[in-house]
Amino acid sequence: MHSYNKDIGSFGEALARDYLISKGYKILNMNFRNKFGEIDIIARKQNTIIFVEVKTRKNTAFGFPAEFVDYKKQQKIMKTAQLYINDNFNAEFDYRFDIIEVFHYDDNKVNFNHLKGAFEL
């Protein structure tokens, strides 16, 4: 089961990356890791650095994907992002935390729900 979840996660992240690129985002990093955790995608659009958590599901039987990004997960992402910001950028940038829900249906249809500013630092 675990490798299936990892595979669908990686697949969803690739789809989300392509989706962001199609919307004019520049991808800075994929699967960025530091001592605090991991961020699926770090992107930039104009003056904003966007930290993106991607959640992929085949259906909503267990709830919407974004519901799995709970307070604890948000805290982990924010700590990870803070370290990234400290190491890479200056005050000219704004920052935002997004969640992209990727729905990959059995008939290979894909839908995206891009929640901009899903949570805040």
Side-chain angles (χ1 to χ4, degrees):
M1 184 73 176
H2 177 71
S3 70
Y4 167 77
N5 285 345
K6 188 153 179 46
D7 291 347
I8 190 111
S10 301
F11 178 67
E13 288 166 15
L15 290 171
R17 177 197 61 216
D18 295 347
Y19 165 82
L20 287 169
I21 291 168
S22 78
K23 300 287 181 195
Y25 291 76
K26 180 181 187 324
I27 304 302
L28 302 178
N29 221 306
M30 293 286 295
N31 305 115
F32 172 80
R33 279 185 183 81
N34 64 28
K35 65 183 180 184
F36 293 120
E38 180 183 348
I39 295 172
D40 296 331
I41 301 174
I42 301 174
R44 178 178 169 192
K45 192 163 189 183
Q46 283 113 20
N47 269 23
T48 305
I49 304 298
I50 301 101
F51 299 96
V52 183
E53 177 69 9
V54 180
K55 289 291 178 198
T56 308
R57 296 289 182 273
K58 284 194 169 289
N59 58 52
T60 56
F62 298 105
F64 282 91
E67 292 173 38
F68 292 89
V69 186
D70 60 9
Y71 178 78
K72 195 174 165 198
K73 178 78 171 167
Q74 291 176 13
Q75 294 302 307
K76 212 172 168 177
I77 292 168
M78 288 189 277
K79 276 187 174 155
T80 307
Q82 196 67 62
L83 200 59
Y84 180 86
I85 291 165
N86 293 346
D87 291 347
N88 293 284
F89 295 105
N90 58 35
E92 293 170 31
F93 290 95
D94 291 322
Y95 302 97
R96 194 174 80 211
F97 294 89
D98 291 4
I99 298 172
I100 295 181
E101 296 178 320
V102 179
F103 297 98
H104 178 248
Y105 302 103
D106 289 331
D107 58 4
N108 267 336
K109 276 202 177 77
V110 177
N111 282 337
F112 299 96
N113 183 23
H114 187 176
L115 302 157
K116 297 177 182 174
F119 53 96
E120 296 189 19
L121 198 52

